[in-house]
Amino acid sequence: MKKIEAIIRKSKFDELKKALHQIEVNFFSYWDVTGVGNEKQGHVYRGISYSTSDIQRRYLTIVVSDEFLEKTIHTILEVASTGNVGDGKIFVSDVIEAYRIRTKESGQAGIN
């Protein structure tokens, strides 16, 4: 099992949620977060300068079986990308075990 942590633009969240459901990734958690990015330059919109040092994003945590890993990452990369600075990051780590509290199932059964 793998844990995928993705930081994406808030504007891409609804589209990504729909795409994840289409590939049968139906359970994940998400939070609104603020982060600091690499870009130091502000943006000007309608004559008003906006700082980009503090960036509003959505943080997703998804636990999938190994066979869903590549499909899930590919979906995030395709849907969340705008081609601009600040599209986000994806981190993947191993999950040693998972349990479903209600049924006490573990392993693969614990995440499906």
Side-chain angles (χ1 to χ4, degrees):
M1 291 177 287
K2 303 292 185 194
K3 178 165 76 169
I4 301 167
E5 296 170 286
I7 302 166
I8 65 167
R9 295 176 183 274
K10 285 176 133 181
S11 62
K12 291 299 214 165
F13 176 72
D14 288 333
E15 186 180 349
L16 179 59
K17 181 170 74 168
K18 182 178 179 180
L20 289 171
H21 287 308
Q22 287 176 347
I23 64 164
E24 299 180 4
V25 174
N26 295 310
F27 179 80
F28 54 88
S29 300
Y30 64 91
W31 301 264
D32 288 332
V33 297
T34 302
V36 178
N38 290 328
E39 188 173 334
K40 306 295 184 228
Q41 175 182 348
H43 289 284
V44 177
Y45 178 72
R46 293 188 176 178
I48 300 172
S49 180
Y50 293 92
S51 170
T52 57
S53 62
D54 295 324
I55 304 168
Q56 298 291 316
R57 296 289 181 254
R58 189 139 295 159
Y59 183 97
L60 290 82
T61 299
I62 308 164
V63 177
V64 296
S65 59
D66 289 344
E67 57 266 15
F68 272 84
L69 179 64
E70 291 303 320
K71 182 169 32 173
T72 305
I73 290 173
H74 176 76
T75 299
I76 296 168
L77 289 171
E78 289 300 311
V79 173
S81 176
T82 66
N84 296 314
V85 172
D87 277 348
K89 303 273 192 237
I90 299 173
F91 306 98
V92 179
S93 55
D94 289 320
V95 173
I96 297 169
E97 190 60 87
Y99 295 90
R100 182 186 314 265
I101 295 172
R102 177 178 55 86
T103 62
K104 298 169 185 57
E105 295 171 296
S106 64
Q108 182 71 28
I111 62 171
N112 290 333

